[in-house]
Amino acid sequence: MKIAIIGTGRVAAALGQSWAGRGHMVTFASRQPGSEKVVALVDAAGANAAAARVADAVARSSIVVLAVPFSAVRDMLAAAGNLSGKLIIDCTNPIAPGLRPLFDSATSGAEQIAGWATGARVVKAFNTTGAENMAAPGYPGGAATMLLCGDDELAKAAVWQLTEEVGFEPVDAGPLSAARHLENLALLWIHLAQVNGLGRGIAFRLLRR
Protein backbone atom coordinates (compact mmCIF):
# COMPACT_ATOMS: atom_id res chain seq x y z
CA MET A 1 0.00 0.00 0.00
CA LYS A 2 1.06 3.61 -0.54
CA ILE A 3 0.54 5.56 2.67
CA ALA A 4 0.92 9.29 3.34
CA ILE A 5 1.31 10.12 7.02
CA ILE A 6 0.47 13.72 7.86
CA GLY A 7 2.33 14.40 11.08
CA THR A 8 5.84 14.10 12.43
CA GLY A 9 5.21 13.19 16.08
CA ARG A 10 5.61 9.93 17.96
CA VAL A 11 2.44 8.32 16.62
CA ALA A 12 3.45 9.13 13.04
CA ALA A 13 6.93 7.76 13.69
CA ALA A 14 5.73 4.51 15.26
CA LEU A 15 3.15 3.75 12.58
CA GLY A 16 5.40 4.81 9.72
CA GLN A 17 8.29 2.65 10.87
CA SER A 18 6.05 -0.36 11.38
CA TRP A 19 4.37 -0.15 7.98
CA ALA A 20 7.52 0.67 6.06
CA GLY A 21 9.18 -2.31 7.72
CA ARG A 22 6.41 -4.50 6.33
CA GLY A 23 6.92 -3.36 2.77
CA HIS A 24 4.43 -0.51 2.46
CA MET A 25 5.57 2.68 0.75
CA VAL A 26 5.32 5.37 3.41
CA THR A 27 5.62 9.09 2.72
CA PHE A 28 5.85 11.47 5.66
CA ALA A 29 3.90 14.57 4.64
CA SER A 30 5.18 17.85 5.98
CA ARG A 31 5.29 21.54 5.14
CA GLN A 32 9.06 21.21 5.58
CA PRO A 33 10.04 17.77 4.25
CA GLY A 34 13.71 18.64 4.30
CA SER A 35 13.80 19.55 7.98
CA GLU A 36 16.12 17.71 10.33
CA LYS A 37 13.19 16.12 12.17
CA VAL A 38 11.55 14.75 9.02
CA VAL A 39 14.85 13.49 7.61
CA ALA A 40 15.40 11.61 10.87
CA LEU A 41 11.92 10.07 10.60
CA VAL A 42 12.64 8.83 7.10
CA ASP A 43 16.04 7.44 8.08
CA ALA A 44 14.51 5.56 11.02
CA ALA A 45 11.75 4.08 8.84
CA GLY A 46 14.18 2.72 6.26
CA ALA A 47 14.28 2.18 2.52
CA ASN A 48 10.50 2.16 1.98
CA ALA A 49 10.06 5.63 3.48
CA ALA A 50 10.31 9.09 1.95
CA ALA A 51 9.22 12.64 2.68
CA ALA A 52 7.31 15.18 0.60
CA ARG A 53 5.17 18.26 0.88
CA VAL A 54 1.62 17.50 1.98
CA ALA A 55 -0.08 17.76 -1.42
CA ASP A 56 2.62 15.70 -3.16
CA ALA A 57 2.56 13.00 -0.48
CA VAL A 58 -1.23 12.71 -0.70
CA ALA A 59 -1.24 12.66 -4.50
CA ARG A 60 1.10 9.65 -4.61
CA SER A 61 -0.79 7.69 -1.92
CA SER A 62 -4.12 5.89 -1.66
CA ILE A 63 -4.18 6.07 2.15
CA VAL A 64 -3.80 9.26 4.19
CA VAL A 65 -3.12 9.05 7.92
CA LEU A 66 -3.98 12.07 10.06
CA ALA A 67 -1.57 12.03 12.99
CA VAL A 68 -1.63 15.70 14.00
CA PRO A 69 -3.37 17.65 16.76
CA PHE A 70 -7.05 18.04 15.92
CA SER A 71 -6.62 21.82 15.85
CA ALA A 72 -4.36 21.42 12.80
CA VAL A 73 -6.63 19.07 10.84
CA ARG A 74 -8.51 21.61 8.70
CA ASP A 75 -5.31 23.32 7.58
CA MET A 76 -3.71 19.97 6.73
CA LEU A 77 -6.75 18.86 4.75
CA ALA A 78 -6.68 22.12 2.83
CA ALA A 79 -3.00 21.62 2.07
CA ALA A 80 -3.64 18.03 0.96
CA GLY A 81 -5.62 18.98 -2.13
CA ASN A 82 -8.06 16.57 -3.74
CA LEU A 83 -8.98 13.80 -1.29
CA SER A 84 -11.81 12.24 -3.30
CA GLY A 85 -11.54 8.47 -3.19
CA LYS A 86 -8.74 8.49 -0.63
CA LEU A 87 -8.91 6.39 2.52
CA ILE A 88 -8.32 8.67 5.51
CA ILE A 89 -7.29 7.06 8.79
CA ASP A 90 -8.18 9.52 11.53
CA CYS A 91 -5.87 9.10 14.54
CA THR A 92 -6.76 12.47 16.05
CA ASN A 93 -8.60 13.34 19.25
CA PRO A 94 -10.60 16.57 19.65
CA ILE A 95 -9.85 17.52 23.24
CA ALA A 96 -11.01 20.70 24.97
CA PRO A 97 -9.25 22.30 27.96
CA GLY A 98 -9.75 20.34 31.15
CA LEU A 99 -9.48 16.99 29.36
CA ARG A 100 -13.02 17.27 28.00
CA PRO A 101 -14.53 16.30 24.63
CA LEU A 102 -14.46 19.15 22.12
CA PHE A 103 -17.82 18.04 20.68
CA ASP A 104 -21.04 16.96 22.34
CA SER A 105 -22.58 13.54 21.82
CA ALA A 106 -24.20 14.59 18.51
CA THR A 107 -20.98 14.35 16.51
CA SER A 108 -17.27 13.50 16.62
CA GLY A 109 -14.00 14.71 15.22
CA ALA A 110 -14.02 11.90 12.69
CA GLU A 111 -17.47 12.86 11.44
CA GLN A 112 -16.33 16.46 11.10
CA ILE A 113 -13.35 15.28 9.05
CA ALA A 114 -15.66 13.26 6.80
CA GLY A 115 -17.61 16.45 6.14
CA TRP A 116 -14.49 18.50 5.41
CA ALA A 117 -12.75 15.90 3.19
CA THR A 118 -15.25 15.67 0.34
CA GLY A 119 -15.35 12.26 -1.30
CA ALA A 120 -12.90 10.62 1.10
CA ARG A 121 -13.58 7.41 3.02
CA VAL A 122 -12.84 8.03 6.71
CA VAL A 123 -11.98 5.34 9.23
CA LYS A 124 -11.31 6.14 12.88
CA ALA A 125 -8.42 4.14 14.34
CA PHE A 126 -5.16 4.45 16.28
CA ASN A 127 -6.57 7.08 18.64
CA THR A 128 -7.39 5.17 21.84
CA THR A 129 -3.87 4.64 23.16
CA GLY A 130 -0.44 6.24 23.21
CA ALA A 131 2.50 6.16 20.85
CA GLU A 132 4.32 3.68 23.07
CA ASN A 133 1.66 1.09 22.29
CA MET A 134 1.78 1.94 18.58
CA ALA A 135 5.43 0.93 18.67
CA ALA A 136 4.95 -2.16 20.86
CA PRO A 137 1.32 -3.28 21.37
CA GLY A 138 2.17 -6.69 22.81
CA TYR A 139 1.49 -7.43 26.49
CA PRO A 140 1.98 -10.60 28.57
CA GLY A 141 -1.73 -11.38 28.21
CA GLY A 142 -1.77 -10.79 24.46
CA ALA A 143 -1.98 -7.96 21.97
CA ALA A 144 -3.68 -4.71 22.91
CA THR A 145 -7.04 -4.06 21.27
CA MET A 146 -7.39 -1.42 18.58
CA LEU A 147 -10.93 -0.30 17.89
CA LEU A 148 -11.82 1.05 14.48
CA CYS A 149 -15.00 2.35 12.89
CA GLY A 150 -16.19 3.66 9.55
CA ASP A 151 -19.00 3.57 7.01
CA ASP A 152 -17.08 1.96 4.13
CA GLU A 153 -16.51 -1.78 4.58
CA LEU A 154 -13.64 -2.01 2.08
CA ALA A 155 -11.89 0.89 3.77
CA LYS A 156 -12.31 -0.77 7.16
CA ALA A 157 -10.90 -4.03 5.79
CA ALA A 158 -7.74 -2.21 4.65
CA VAL A 159 -7.35 -0.54 8.05
CA TRP A 160 -7.98 -3.88 9.76
CA GLN A 161 -5.01 -5.33 7.86
CA LEU A 162 -2.78 -2.38 8.74
CA THR A 163 -3.84 -2.68 12.38
CA GLU A 164 -2.88 -6.34 12.50
CA GLU A 165 0.45 -5.58 10.86
CA VAL A 166 1.31 -3.10 13.61
CA GLY A 167 0.59 -5.89 16.12
CA PHE A 168 -2.79 -4.92 17.58
CA GLU A 169 -5.89 -7.05 17.82
CA PRO A 170 -8.40 -5.11 15.67
CA VAL A 171 -12.07 -4.87 16.64
CA ASP A 172 -14.73 -3.34 14.39
CA ALA A 173 -16.75 -0.86 16.47
CA GLY A 174 -19.30 -0.20 13.72
CA PRO A 175 -20.18 2.90 11.67
CA LEU A 176 -18.30 6.19 11.77
CA SER A 177 -20.76 7.56 14.33
CA ALA A 178 -19.12 5.18 16.83
CA ALA A 179 -16.09 7.49 16.71
CA ARG A 180 -17.89 9.49 19.41
CA HIS A 181 -17.27 6.57 21.76
CA LEU A 182 -13.72 5.96 20.57
CA GLU A 183 -12.79 9.58 21.17
CA ASN A 184 -14.20 9.37 24.70
CA LEU A 185 -12.25 6.15 25.24
CA ALA A 186 -9.09 8.06 24.31
CA LEU A 187 -9.90 10.59 27.02
CA LEU A 188 -10.26 7.73 29.51
CA TRP A 189 -6.86 6.33 28.50
CA ILE A 190 -5.24 9.74 28.96
CA HIS A 191 -6.99 10.17 32.31
CA LEU A 192 -5.82 6.78 33.57
CA ALA A 193 -2.29 7.23 32.28
CA GLN A 194 -1.66 10.82 33.29
CA VAL A 195 -4.19 11.94 35.90
CA ASN A 196 -4.51 8.68 37.82
CA GLY A 197 -0.81 8.04 37.46
CA LEU A 198 -0.92 4.57 35.91
CA GLY A 199 1.64 5.63 33.32
CA ARG A 200 1.67 5.29 29.56
CA GLY A 201 2.48 1.57 29.59
CA ILE A 202 -1.20 0.60 29.78
CA ALA A 203 -3.65 -0.49 27.10
CA PHE A 204 -7.21 -1.70 26.62
CA ARG A 205 -7.74 -5.35 25.75
CA LEU A 206 -11.12 -6.80 24.78
CA LEU A 207 -11.60 -10.34 26.07
CA ARG A 208 -14.08 -12.87 24.69
CA ARG A 209 -15.36 -16.04 26.32
Side-chain angles (χ1 to χ4, degrees):
M1 298 180 189
K2 295 182 178 180
I3 305 169
I5 300 180
I6 300 178
T8 57
R10 293 185 297 167
V11 169
L15 294 177
Q17 289 176 29
S18 181
W19 291 328
R22 285 160 177 78
H24 299 290
M25 303 306 296
V26 173
T27 304
F28 291 99
S30 171
R31 295 187 188 278
Q32 297 180 309
S35 69
E36 182 177 341
K37 182 177 184 179
V38 178
V39 169
L41 278 177
V42 172
D43 288 345
N48 290 326
R53 294 192 178 276
V54 177
D56 293 335
V58 169
R60 71 174 66 163
S61 305
S62 58
I63 298 173
V64 178
V65 179
L66 289 175
V68 294
F70 187 78
S71 58
V73 165
R74 291 202 76 168
D75 285 345
M76 290 297 100
L77 292 176
N82 184 13
L83 290 162
S84 182
K86 304 287 186 181
L87 193 172
I88 295 179
I89 303 177
D90 172 27
C91 310
T92 70
N93 282 306
I95 300 173
L99 200 59
R100 295 180 295 107
L102 186 61
F103 301 108
D104 62 22
S105 59
T107 190
S108 65
E111 290 167 279
Q112 294 295 307
I113 289 169
W116 296 333
T118 304
R121 301 172 296 153
V122 178
V123 175
K124 188 81 179 185
F126 301 109
N127 75 298
T128 54
T129 193
E132 296 84 354
N133 286 323
M134 308 291 180
Y139 279 79
T145 295
M146 180 53 63
L147 296 157
L148 59 96
C149 66
D151 294 332
D152 186 297
E153 294 302 321
L154 290 178
K156 283 199 290 187
V159 178
W160 183 287
Q161 175 187 331
L162 291 171
T163 301
E164 286 187 320
E165 289 179 350
V166 172
F168 286 102
E169 178 188 16
V171 172
D172 187 344
L176 194 62
S177 59
R180 305 167 194 180
H181 309 308
L182 271 61
E183 290 169 4
N184 282 325
L185 190 61
L187 289 173
L188 175 60
W189 186 89
I190 295 169
H191 178 83
L192 292 172
Q194 299 183 3
V195 180
N196 277 24
L198 295 182
R200 297 178 63 87
I202 60 170
F204 299 118
R205 184 160 187 260
L206 188 66
L207 300 176
R208 298 182 178 88
R209 290 191 183 279

